Amino acid sequence: MTILPVDTDVLEDVCRDIAQDNYGFVYVADQKSEIKSGYESADVGMLNAGSLAASDMRKALAEMSNDEFVDLEQIRDGVYYVDPFGVKGNMNITRELTNLFGQRLVVTGETLRSRFSLAIDDLDFFVDELTRRNYLRRITAGKRDYYTIGTDLKEHADDVGLDARLEREASNGKIAHSDLESVIDVNATSDVIRYLDREGYIVDLDGEYLVEEAIDEYATFLANEIEDAVEEEFEESSYVLRVGEFEQVVENEIDTRFDVLSKARSVRGEILEGTRETLIDRLGLDAGREMVEAVEPFDAVADDHARRILSDVKADADQLPGTLPEWVELAGDHVEELQVSSATAVNEHVRQAVRERYRSLVNEEEFGGMAE
């Protein structure tokens, strides 16, 4: 009597369907009735076995796992794996991990095993697969491994992951030690915190942590703290500072109040840049290549000087000039006498602004705006 062979194409399709619903795994002992039912309900034709005995099932699966053209890998005796990532539209793993990391910042291997209903012996294989695909990121803390969301999984997740969660938990760009412990919520908290510091998620500030993803928020906090002092510097400098001087003022004012620049050296430049940009926006500054102006008050200063010079020119002149260039020429010495700073570059910047404002003022008042 001829024994018909098992239809491996049908058996592969059945295993693939089961694996899709089981995160890639096929457990023969637990699912043999499901495999048998799926196979026997399929069309296997006249040349293949229509029924599937347990021994034939195991033999066929073992042979298929050795076939390089069959997408079925034997993990251990009676356990097979079909790559779930190769199936278009299969988002089961992605969905589960996204939900998990939406609730937890860091998870244990046991949490993953329970979440995906894996056998204990299959956990290492599963997390290795997910780590290789950058769906998980392994955190080695002491003798144990913990896991957080990987870079490729973040592409499928909105506002999920270490950086996003830390940013949400931060206040003014920082998070207290007790709050960070609560967010991590695993036994090896200190080891995980060291990992976060080492990998550039946080910066230790002695008892609290700067969240690197929230540096912009922290820079806004710093700008708010030093805004008045910086504004006073502009008031004392005719509302204009050299770029380097402005940068030094910002740095000095931060150092006076906080020690963050010395503790967070790795992100020092980002903190300073963010603080300066916030101040530029909040104080209405205009940062050029060489000078930083407080625009409105600086314009008012230039206007005051220009009006005073115009008044002096009129008072000194025996006869008022007839052309705009003559008016400008008469004001030359008055403008050159202006000195608002010990810095030559600042004085020349102010003088140029006054020249331009004076010329515009004369054109408006003496020529009705028609001279140029």
Side-chain angles (χ1 to χ4, degrees), residues 298-342:
F298 179 78
D299 288 346
V301 167
D303 185 74
D304 286 344
H305 284 304
R307 290 184 183 279
R308 178 182 57 77
I309 290 172
L310 178 57
S311 178
D312 290 346
V313 167
K314 287 182 177 180
D316 293 344
D318 295 329
Q319 183 177 351
L320 295 179
T323 66
L324 182 57
E326 290 173 332
W327 279 96
V328 171
E329 183 178 358
L330 289 177
D333 290 341
H334 295 278
V335 173
E336 291 300 322
E337 291 172 359
L338 285 175
Q339 187 162 335
V340 299
S341 169
S342 59

Side-chain angles (χ1 to χ4, degrees), residues 96-97 99-113 115-116 127 135-139 144-149 162 183-187 192:
E96 285 294 334
L97 287 175
N99 291 337
L100 177 60
F101 287 115
Q103 303 161 9
R104 305 279 295 277
L105 189 65
V106 178
V107 300
T108 64
E110 177 56 30
T111 299
L112 290 170
R113 191 191 71 79
R115 188 81 174 209
F116 290 94
V127 296
Y135 267 51
L136 290 181
R137 189 169 185 179
R138 193 187 308 269
I139 301 173
R144 298 190 62 182
D145 285 343
Y146 297 89
Y147 304 92
T148 188
I149 191 170
L162 270 172
V183 169
I184 294 174
D185 193 28
V186 294
N187 291 333
V192 174

Side-chain angles (χ1 to χ4, degrees), residues 94-242:
T94 300
R95 185 163 46 250
E96 285 294 334
L97 287 175
T98 300
N99 291 337
L100 177 60
F101 287 115
Q103 303 161 9
R104 305 279 295 277
L105 189 65
V106 178
V107 300
T108 64
E110 177 56 30
T111 299
L112 290 170
R113 191 191 71 79
S114 176
R115 188 81 174 209
F116 290 94
S117 302
L118 301 175
I120 294 175
D121 292 339
D122 299 322
L123 175 61
D124 288 344
F125 173 85
F126 189 61
V127 296
D128 285 346
E129 278 287 292
L130 296 180
T131 301
R132 182 175 63 83
R133 295 179 181 277
N134 291 320
Y135 267 51
L136 290 181
R137 189 169 185 179
R138 193 187 308 269
I139 301 173
T140 299
K143 296 181 179 180
R144 298 190 62 182
D145 285 343
Y146 297 89
Y147 304 92
T148 188
I149 191 170
T151 53
D152 285 7
L153 178 59
K154 285 176 64 176
E155 296 179 3
H156 300 283
D158 294 328
D159 200 28
V160 173
L162 270 172
D163 42 11
R165 180 69 182 277
L166 289 170
E167 184 179 11
R168 289 199 303 273
E169 297 292 336
S171 175
N172 291 325
K174 297 180 295 182
I175 185 170
H177 183 84
S178 58
D179 293 335
L180 185 56
E181 284 187 324
S182 177
V183 169
I184 294 174
D185 193 28
V186 294
N187 291 333
T189 301
S190 59
D191 290 320
V192 174
I193 289 176
R194 281 196 293 272
Y195 167 86
L196 297 178
D197 193 356
R198 185 175 68 248
E199 294 297 316
Y201 289 100
I202 59 175
V203 178
D204 191 348
L205 301 180
D206 292 339
E208 60 181 357
Y209 303 88
L210 174 64
V211 176
E212 294 203 20
E213 193 69 18
I215 283 180
D216 287 347
E217 183 182 349
Y218 184 64
T220 299
F221 162 75
L222 290 179
N224 183 63
E225 293 295 308
I226 69 173
E227 181 178 345
D228 291 343
V230 173
E231 194 168 27
E232 288 177 9
E233 288 287 341
F234 276 98
E235 289 174 356
E236 295 172 2
S237 307
S238 294
Y239 299 100
V240 60
L241 295 171
R242 287 172 294 174

Side-chain angles (χ1 to χ4, degrees), residues 262-278:
S262 60
K263 291 182 179 299
R265 293 187 179 277
S266 62
V267 290
R268 185 176 184 277
E270 295 176 55
I271 294 171
L272 287 170
E273 182 180 2
T275 305
R276 291 193 298 264
E277 291 299 320
T278 303

